[in-house]
Amino acid sequence: MNCSRVLSMTHPALIDELKTLVEPGKVLTDADSLNAYGKDWTKHFAPAPVAIVFPKTTEQVQAIVRWANQHTVALVPSGGRTGLSAAAVAANGEVVVSFDYMNQILDVNLTDRTAVCQPGVVTKQLQNVAEEQGLYYPVDFASSGSSQIGGNIGTNAGGIKVIRYGMTRNWVAGMKVVTGKGDLLELNKDLIKNATGYDMRQLFIGAEGTLGFVVEATMRLDRAPKNLTAMVLGTADFDSIMPVLHAFQSKLDLTAFEFFSDKALAKVLARGDVPAPFESECPFYALLEFEATTEEVANHALETFEHCVEQGWVLDGVMSQSETQLHNLWKLREYISETISHWTPYKNDISVTVSKVPAFLKEIDAIVGEHYPDFEIVWFGHIGDGNLHLNILKPENLSKDEFFAKCATVNKWVFETVEKYNGSISAEHGVGMTKRDYLTYSRSPVEIEYMKAVKAVFDPNGIMNPGKIFAVLTGTREDAVNELSAQVRRWDQHSFSLGQSGVHRA
Amino acid sequence: MNCSRVLSMTHPALIDELKTLVEPGKVLTDADSLNAYGKDWTKHFAPAPVAIVFPKTTEQVQAIVRWANQHTVALVPSGGRTGLSAAAVAANGEVVVSFDYMNQILDVNLTDRTAVCQPGVVTKQLQNVAEEQGLYYPVDFASSGSSQIGGNIGTNAGGIKVIRYGMTRNWVAGMKVVTGKGDLLELNKDLIKNATGYDMRQLFIGAEGTLGFVVEATMRLDRAPKNLTAMVLGTADFDSIMPVLHAFQSKLDLTAFEFFSDKALAKVLARGDVPAPFESECPFYALLEFEATTEEVANHALETFEHCVEQGWVLDGVMSQSETQLHNLWKLREYISETISHWTPYKNDISVTVSKVPAFLKEIDAIVGEHYPDFEIVWFGHIGDGNLHLNILKPENLSKDEFFAKCATVNKWVFETVEKYNGSISAEHGVGMTKRDYLTYSRSPVEIEYMKAVKAVFDPNGIMNPGKIFAVLTGTREDAVNELSAQVRRWDQHSFSLGQSGVHRA
C-alpha cells in the first residue's frame, strides 16, 4: 500500500481533482474498496490501487482518461473481476475505473436481435433479458453470474458453447470506446456488413483494456436453442475421442463437445451429489450436446453412437431424456473445476488446432509423468475447439511452495510443447500479468513489436492498463518506488500546474 | 499514363532489379498485360501500372516489398480483379503484384475442417475442393469463378449467404501476411481459441491491401448443407417484408433472405429464360432459403407461409420441390445484376441495421422520386443482413454523361441519408478509390485519423496500395512516422507517476 499512501498524502489535490469529474461519492479510497476492486480471481498479486472511480456516463469516462493523460496516471479497467490472468489487477498504485454504475441494458431490438449494453452489464443479466424475449445470448461460462460484458469483450471470453457459437467476438455488433487518448470512437455502428476500412472494433476485443475502455456495446442475440440434449460417452482411450467428434460432427450440428478424464470424473463422483452417467469405467469421457429438434435428429445421434461402439471407440454411453438429465450430465463436466480446487491445482489454459490435440496431450502427459511420476494430472476442456485445461494436483505430502516451484519447471515444458505444436499459451483466459512473460511462446518478437506500435496509436502515453499483455518497465520494486518519488517531485515542479491549465502533455 | 512513363523511362534499372527478385519471365511490362492487370471490374480509372510482377513464394513477396521500400515504389495487389471499388486498380504508375502463380491449396484437414490456401486460389476452386471432401465453403457471390481468396480477404467479401454464415472474416482461421515493411507475420496459427493479445489478423481482413499482402490463409470449411430449399414470396408492400423475415427467423435457421422489387423481376422475366415464380403480381418479393433437413422442418416453413398469408403480409408464394426448382428460383434473384446492366445502372452498395431498412428505403425512394421522377429505381439485395443494392436505370433519352452527372447529385443525397441512418456507404464492395472521398459519411474524422496511424504502423513508407481507402498520405508521411516512433519510445520508457514495477508481489 506504499504507493497509494505516497500519492494520497503528497497529492490529495490530484484525487480531489478526480472527484470533480464524477458524481459525489463515486471515488473511493478506503482500504476495503482498494482491496476489493484491486484484484480479480487470480491471487498472485497484492492489490494496491490508490483509488477506485465509478463513472456513470461516457463523458465522465472521457474526463477520467483526459485527467489520467494530463497527470500520467495509470488506469486499470474493472468489470466483474472474475479474470484468471490478472488483467484487471491493480497492484502498482493505479486508479481503478469500475463500470459497476454503467450497468444498464439500454435497448433490445427484436428485428435486429441485438441488445445495447453498458459495459457493466453482467453476463447473466444479458442472458436473462434475451431469454425473456425468446432469444439467447450464447456465450456462457462458470463466472457468468458476475462477469461483465466489458470484461468479456476485453478478454474475448469463450466458454462451453464455442464450437457452435464462437467467442464473444462473434457477438459484438458494434461498440463505443474511449481510447487511451480520450477520444470517443463509434465502431461499426452495429452493422452486419460494413466494408469501410479497418475494423478497429476487432482490435479492442481481446485487448484487455490496454487500448481504451468499452463504454457501450451492442451485443447480438440468437434464437433460443430447441430441446438441448446431451450425451456422455465413455471412450476406449484418448485417441478414440477424435473419430467420435468427427462422426458426430458429420451427422449433427453440435452445440458443445467437451471431454474429461477418468480422474476428473472420479473426483466429481466422490462428492456424492451427482449420479454416475453409467456403470462402465472408461479412461476418457466425451460430453456432447445438440438440439434434438425432431425425433429424426435424436435417431441420427443414436445411430452415430452405435457406429462409434461398433468401431470400438466408445464403450458405453447415455443420452439425456429430460431437462433434469441434461443438467445432471452437464454437472459431470461443470463441477470439475470447483471440485479439484481442493487439491490446489496448477492450472493451464492452452490450445492447439483440434487435429493436433491427441499428440499434444500425450506429449505433455509423458513429460510430466517422466519427471514427476507422483503428480496427478487431471485433463478436461473444450476439445471440440482445441482448448485443453491442464490441471496438476498437489500431492498431499508436498508443501505449496515446493509444489509451485516444481510447477514453474513444468510451465516451461508445457509452453515449449505449446510452441512446438504452434498453439496458444492462453486459449481464453487472456495474457494479463500471469502469461505476460511467456508471450513469445505464442507470438513472435516481430509480432509483439507491431502490437506495441498499435498500442502506441491508441494509448500514446501508456496510461491504459500498463504492464498487462506486455511488460512496461523492468526493475525492482525499489526502483519503481524511487522512480515514483522522482515523478512526484517532478509534478511539484512542473506538471501539475501544466495539468491545471488544461494542456495535454504530448 | 504519365507516372508510369516517367518511372519506366527514368529507371529501367529499377525494373531490371525487380526482375532479379522473381523467376525469369515473371515481370511483365507489355501494354496488354499492363492494361489487363491494372484494372478491376470498375471502369472509372485508366489502368497505368509500370510493371506486373508474379511472385511464386513468400520470400519473393518479401523481397518485392523490401525493394519497393528501398526505392519508394507503390505496390498494388492483384487477385481476380473482380472488385467493384477500384481497390485493385493501378492508375498511377504502380507496380502490380499479381498472385496468379501462388494459387495452390496446400492442405485440407478434415478434422480441423480447414484448407490452407495460397492467396491466388480462386473462390470456386476452394468451393470445389471442399465439396469433394463432403464439406462446404459458404462464402459465395457472382464472381466466385474468378475472384481469389487473397482478394476476398482484402475486401472481407460477403455475398448471398451472410445471414447464416457471415462474411469472409468468419472463415479465416489464420493467415500469413507480409507487412508493408516486409516482415512476415503468422497471425493466429489457425486456432479457434487464442487470447494472446491483439488479433491483428482482423486488421488485415478488409484492409484492401493497404497494410500488407496476404501470402497464405487457412480457411475454415463447414459441413455441406442438406436439402437446400427456397421459397419465393410476393408481399403486399415493402413494409410486409420485415415481419415475414421475423416470422421465418423465429421458426427456421435461414441460409438466405433476399429481396427484389417488381421492377427487378419484370426485367429478369423479360429475358424469357426463367419461369415466373407464380401468376400473382406483387410490388416486392422475398427469396428465402433453408435446409429442409426433415419433413417437419418443411412443414414449419409451410405453416409460417400460411401465417404470413393470414396476416396479409404475403399474397402468393412457392417452395422448391427439387434442385432444379431451387436453382430456377435463385435465378430470379441472381440474374438481376446482369440483366439490368443493359440500362447502364448507377449502382450503390449500402447497408443499415435490418430494423431501419424500411424507413431508409422509403426515404431514398422519396428523394429520388421527387427530384428525378423519370428515373427508374431497381432495388434488390441481401435484406436479411441490411445490405441494399440501389440501382437507378438510365432513361433512354438521357446521355450517359448527363445521367452520371445527375447521379453524382443523387450520390450525395444517398450518402447523407446513409449517414442519417448510421449506415455504411459500402456494405461489401469496399472503399478503394470509388468510395474514398465519401468515407466520412460512415467513419468519423477522428476514426479515420486512427486508421491512418494504424496504416503507418504496418506501412510506414506508404507503399502499400496508396490512394485506396484514404487519399495518398501527403508530404507528412515522414512526420507521421517520426511522431509514431517517438510515441513508441515514450511508451516504452514511461515511468508512471503512480508506480509501475511489473514485479510480482506475493
Side-chain angles (χ1 to χ4, degrees), chain B residues 156-221:
Chain B
N156 189 23
I160 54 179
K161 304 284 174 108
V162 168
I163 191 175
R164 163 70 170 272
Y165 296 101
M167 313 286 283
T168 298
R169 183 182 302 284
N170 289 19
W171 300 91
V172 181
M175 56 186 182
K176 295 180 183 162
V177 299
V178 171
T179 71
K181 289 163 80 174
D183 292 315
L184 177 65
L185 303 182
E186 189 180 352
L187 299 174
N188 201 52
K189 301 177 171 179
D190 312 344
L191 298 164
I192 297 175
K193 284 184 173 178
N194 182 17
T196 55
Y198 315 146
D199 189 352
M200 296 190 294
R201 165 185 54 155
Q202 308 290 348
L203 271 181
F204 282 80
I205 300 170
E208 304 184 13
T210 61
L211 303 178
F213 294 132
V214 177
V215 290
E216 194 179 293
T218 302
M219 306 305 290
R220 294 200 186 290
L221 305 174

Side-chain angles (χ1 to χ4, degrees), chain B residues 41-58:
Chain B
W41 277 5
T42 58
K43 304 282 175 277
H44 304 82
F45 306 90
V50 288
I52 321 297
V53 59
F54 299 88
K56 289 190 81 169
T57 66
T58 294

Side-chain angles (χ1 to χ4, degrees), chain A residues 12-29:
Chain A
L14 209 57
I15 297 299
D16 284 346
E17 193 182 324
L18 176 63
K19 285 178 181 169
T20 66
L21 307 177
V22 290
E23 290 186 8
K26 291 290 176 280
V27 175
L28 299 180
T29 53

Side-chain angles (χ1 to χ4, degrees), chain A residues 72 92 112 223 253 355 462 484, chain B residues 112 195 223 253 355 496-498:
Chain A
T72 323
N92 294 293
D112 293 332
R223 68 157 174 79
D253 294 333
S355 59
L484 169 70
Chain B
D112 294 331
R223 69 160 174 78
D253 294 333
S355 60
F496 288 96
S497 51
L498 300 183

Side-chain angles (χ1 to χ4, degrees), chain B residues 95-387:
Chain B
V95 168
V96 171
V97 182
S98 165
F99 291 93
D100 280 2
Y101 291 93
M102 291 178 73
N103 62 353
Q104 301 300 305
I105 294 178
L106 303 174
D107 187 37
V108 176
N109 187 311
L110 297 182
T111 301
D112 294 331
R113 287 183 170 172
T114 50
V116 181
C117 298
Q118 291 190 308
V121 166
V122 170
T123 313
K124 190 74 197 158
Q125 182 187 348
L126 175 59
Q127 289 170 342
N128 289 345
V129 165
E131 206 179 320
E132 283 161 21
Q133 304 289 344
L135 294 170
Y136 183 58
Y137 181 68
V139 182
D140 197 19
F141 37 79
S143 62
S144 61
S146 40
S147 72
Q148 296 178 2
I149 294 299
N152 293 357
I153 293 172
T155 54
N156 189 23
I160 54 179
K161 304 284 174 108
V162 168
I163 191 175
R164 163 70 170 272
Y165 296 101
M167 313 286 283
T168 298
R169 183 182 302 284
N170 289 19
W171 300 91
V172 181
M175 56 186 182
K176 295 180 183 162
V177 299
V178 171
T179 71
K181 289 163 80 174
D183 292 315
L184 177 65
L185 303 182
E186 189 180 352
L187 299 174
N188 201 52
K189 301 177 171 179
D190 312 344
L191 298 164
I192 297 175
K193 284 184 173 178
N194 182 17
T196 55
Y198 315 146
D199 189 352
M200 296 190 294
R201 165 185 54 155
Q202 308 290 348
L203 271 181
F204 282 80
I205 300 170
E208 304 184 13
T210 61
L211 303 178
F213 294 132
V214 177
V215 290
E216 194 179 293
T218 302
M219 306 305 290
R220 294 200 186 290
L221 305 174
D222 203 36
R223 69 160 174 78
K226 294 166 192 159
N227 193 25
L228 284 176
T229 301
M231 274 182 155
V232 170
L233 309 174
T235 67
D237 46 33
F238 187 81
D239 283 354
S240 297
I241 290 184
M242 285 298 151
V244 171
L245 171 64
H246 212 183
F248 276 92
Q249 266 189 322
S250 67
K251 294 290 175 191
L252 300 170
D253 294 333
L254 298 176
T255 53
F257 194 94
E258 302 281 307
F259 94 110
F260 44 89
S261 64
D262 52 353
K263 285 170 187 158
L265 181 66
K267 303 278 185 213
V268 171
L269 294 182
R271 298 162 52 116
D273 58 350
V274 193
F278 38 72
E279 282 197 2
S280 322
E281 290 188 2
C282 308
F284 286 97
Y285 298 85
L287 185 158
L288 60 90
E289 192 194 60
F290 58 95
E291 294 177 277
T293 44
T294 66
E295 198 124 328
E296 240 174 298
V297 175
N299 287 340
H300 280 317
L302 289 172
E303 285 158 25
T304 310
F305 165 70
E306 279 159 26
H307 171 72
C308 291
V309 171
E310 279 161 23
Q311 296 294 317
W313 302 326
V314 166
L315 303 178
D316 207 344
V318 62
M319 184 164 93
S320 68
Q321 302 293 328
S322 68
E323 218 166 307
T324 308
Q325 288 179 14
L326 172 75
H327 290 308
N328 276 336
L329 291 182
W330 266 111
K331 282 177 187 169
L332 297 171
R333 163 67 184 82
E334 284 178 334
Y335 283 5
I336 297 171
S337 200
E338 186 197 326
T339 308
I340 63 171
S341 68
H342 170 73
W343 284 270
T344 324
Y346 157 83
K347 297 166 88 77
N348 243 318
D349 164 48
I350 48 194
S351 71
V352 293
T353 56
V354 177
S355 60
K356 289 179 192 150
V357 165
F360 173 76
L361 184 140
K362 260 183 229 164
E363 194 159 330
I364 300 272
D365 253 352
I367 291 169
V368 181
E370 186 190 342
H371 295 271
Y372 298 108
D374 52 333
F375 278 11
E376 189 174 14
I377 301 182
V378 173
W379 286 102
F380 63 96
H382 321 288
I383 206 163
D385 54 45
N387 179 191

Side-chain angles (χ1 to χ4, degrees), chain B residues 437-453:
Chain B
D437 299 336
Y438 306 100
L439 193 57
T440 49
Y441 285 102
S442 276
R443 309 286 293 252
S444 73
V446 179
E447 217 184 328
I448 293 171
E449 285 313 304
Y450 279 98
M451 283 167 64
K452 287 181 179 174

